[in-house]
Amino acid sequence: MKNPYKDLKDVSDVVISTRIRFARNLKEYPFPCRLSEDKKRKVASIIKEAVLEGHSAISDRFKYIQMSELTQEEAVSLVERHLVSPEFISGRQGRGLLLLNDESVSIMINEEDHVRIQVINRGMKLNETYELADKIDTLLDERLDFAFDEKLGYLTQCPTNIGTGMRASLMLHLPALQESGAMGKIAASLSKLGIVIRGLYGENTDPSGAIYQLSNQVTLGITEQEAIKNLHDIAMQLVAQERNTREQLSENINMLDSIYRSYGILSYAKLISNSECMKLLSNVRFGVEMGCFEIDFDTLDRLFIEIQPATLMKNIGKKLTPAERDRIRSELVRTALNTKQIPASRRLENT
């Protein structure tokens, strides 16, 4: 089988995306859990003005979204696109979202903290993503008075965020390690190193499609740069473990059969549920990672999001029954994959 890891610096086979998030609070206001609806609206207005009327070159590229005005489908789609947390849409009154036009930056207002700055990039781009998040944080700090203690650092509602208030995360595709049953042991080991690994949408969510979030857990007594380096080093260890496990599975006829069957079902199915589609797409991405198919990762990673129920309805522009979603989902995936032909030599490689 073709070796897909010639460029060892390219880890896009494992690392789907990078996220940096800062938690900040206004000094003169209680945490959101203690705010009345009127005070929440006041805080939202202050932060909205600081961003939209700031002197940043990207200020005019933000749009403000009043969360209470969104439909349920529109709100859930924001979660599915990893732009907001599931908690953020659970109670939308008094909450606002500032979203950059390319959706690479989102600022949640009145989630657990007054301000949650989030920057997302494709692939492993910890330093670049941090630099942009830090720049936005600095611009806001010039216009807002953040709650800060000389000894503790930035003050946050949850004690686990006190200090830097930073969470650095990587979205990883780990099908081989999941298949081998190693994820439980890995999660236990990582917690001892100040790193946590969670499901697709963060805490208390499942790793649908073998997609996991790897994040720093320690924010106090450590610099932002140290936290990022620690996350990077551990992520690279996981990349190596995932690739080694793939090599062990590369001659497993049952695994290869599952991968090729998954491609066949996605290419021809007329109805497909979200949970089945996530599993099959994960298998096909696994096949790409092992050199079975020539499909770009961007296509597959985009599909992971576009097939989600609320995002599917948002893009169609109307409510859909489960059966209608299953039909449209299958059409979407079929169209995407049928433009990506598998070379005949690659099809026969493992027969």
Side-chain angles (χ1 to χ4, degrees):
M1 183 175 290
K2 174 184 174 183
N3 179 9
Y5 313 131
K6 288 182 179 179
D7 183 2
L8 295 179
K9 292 183 180 178
D10 181 6
V11 295
S12 58
D13 57 303
V14 178
V15 183
I16 296 174
S17 63
T18 301
R19 184 195 74 179
I20 299 291
R21 190 209 73 199
F22 287 124
R24 301 288 186 257
N25 287 282
L26 304 186
K27 184 178 181 179
E28 62 269 34
Y29 288 90
F31 293 131
C33 65
R34 300 284 302 277
L35 288 177
S36 65
E37 293 300 323
D38 285 344
K39 290 294 185 182
K40 283 183 180 179
R41 284 191 287 270
K42 177 63 175 177
V43 167
S45 176
I46 291 170
I47 296 167
K48 173 185 174 183
E49 181 180 335
V51 174
L52 299 184
E53 298 181 15
H55 302 298
S56 168
I58 63 173
S59 290
D60 61 355
R61 292 172 53 200
F62 278 98
K63 67 175 178 179
Y64 181 74
I65 300 170
Q66 188 71 42
M67 291 300 296
S68 60
E69 296 177 359
L70 297 184
T71 65
Q72 181 67 10
E73 289 76 20
E74 289 170 333
V76 174
S77 177
L78 291 171
V79 177
E80 294 173 349
R81 284 142 58 204
H82 305 285
L83 300 176
V84 303
S85 65
E87 294 77 16
F88 188 61
I89 68 167
S90 62
R92 289 182 266 149
Q93 290 297 324
R95 288 178 170 173
L97 177 69
L98 286 153
L99 188 62
L100 201 63
N101 54 7
D102 65 359
E103 298 192 346
S104 62
V105 180
S106 58
I107 302 174
M108 290 178 276
I109 302 174
N110 289 328
E111 195 228 31
E112 186 176 75
D113 297 288
H114 295 143
V115 181
R116 288 283 179 97
I117 302 166
Q118 177 179 281
V119 179
I120 297 178
N121 259 317
R122 287 199 52 75
M124 171 83 90
K125 296 178 182 175
L126 279 165
N127 291 328
E128 296 172 45
T129 308
Y130 168 77
E131 287 173 8
L132 178 55
D134 184 56
K135 186 177 294 184
I136 294 170
D137 179 42
T138 300
L139 289 168
L140 285 179
D141 194 33
E142 291 173 355
R143 296 175 63 87
L144 301 170
D145 190 8
F146 288 142
F148 184 84
D149 181 86
E150 290 297 329
K151 292 183 178 180
L152 296 176
Y154 288 100
L155 303 181
T156 57
Q157 180 174 309
C158 181
T160 59
N161 290 322
I162 287 176
T164 63
M166 185 193 78
R167 286 275 190 253
S169 303
L170 296 169
M171 195 81 76
L172 310 178
H173 187 227
L174 303 173
L177 288 173
Q178 186 181 81
E179 180 69 22
S180 70
M183 291 309 301
K185 184 177 179 180
I186 288 171
S189 299
L190 291 178
S191 65
K192 300 173 184 177
L193 301 173
I195 298 291
V196 63
I197 192 162
R198 295 171 171 146
L200 179 60
Y201 297 110
E203 191 171 4
N204 299 321
T205 64
D206 295 325
S208 181
I211 299 174
Y212 294 81
Q213 282 191 28
L214 185 75
S215 308
N216 69 297
Q217 198 169 26
V218 178
T219 59
L220 186 62
I222 186 173
T223 68
E224 293 163 352
Q225 290 75 15
E226 288 170 340
I228 287 173
K229 183 180 185 305
N230 188 37
L231 181 66
H232 173 272
D233 292 347
I234 289 174
M236 292 306 293
Q237 292 178 37
L238 282 175
V239 168
Q241 290 180 49
E242 171 67 18
R243 288 174 171 177
N244 289 337
T245 308
R246 285 179 204 160
E247 290 297 317
Q248 296 168 21
L249 294 172
S250 64
E251 303 303 323
N252 184 313
I253 190 64
N254 292 322
M255 190 71 250
L256 292 171
D257 181 66
S258 179
I259 286 170
Y260 283 99
R261 281 177 182 271
S262 295
Y263 184 89
I265 294 170
L266 290 175
S267 297
Y268 295 100
K270 299 298 183 182
L271 294 170
I272 190 164
S273 69
N274 184 61
S275 59
E276 182 186 15
C277 197
M278 288 292 288
K279 174 61 177 174
L280 297 179
L281 281 174
S282 177
N283 284 345
V284 170
R285 198 183 198 280
F286 193 5
V288 175
E289 292 157 1
M290 294 204 298
C292 300
F293 311 135
E294 288 184 353
I295 305 172
D296 60 274
F297 290 128
D298 283 353
T299 296
L300 296 172
D301 295 343
R302 173 176 54 80
L303 286 173
F304 276 125
I305 294 173
E306 290 184 354
I307 65 165
Q308 300 303 317
T311 299
L312 204 62
M313 290 187 284
K314 172 189 172 293
N315 291 341
I316 291 293
K318 63 178 182 179
K319 283 183 174 291
L320 300 168
T321 66
E324 288 172 331
R325 291 200 301 267
D326 290 352
R327 177 180 58 79
I328 293 171
R329 181 180 294 111
S330 69
E331 291 175 358
L332 178 67
V333 175
R334 219 168 44 241
T335 300
L337 293 187
N338 285 344
T339 62
K340 311 290 181 180
Q341 296 300 317
I342 309 171
S345 61
R346 197 66 57 78
R347 292 194 204 107
L348 300 173
E349 199 169 39
N350 295 298
T351 59

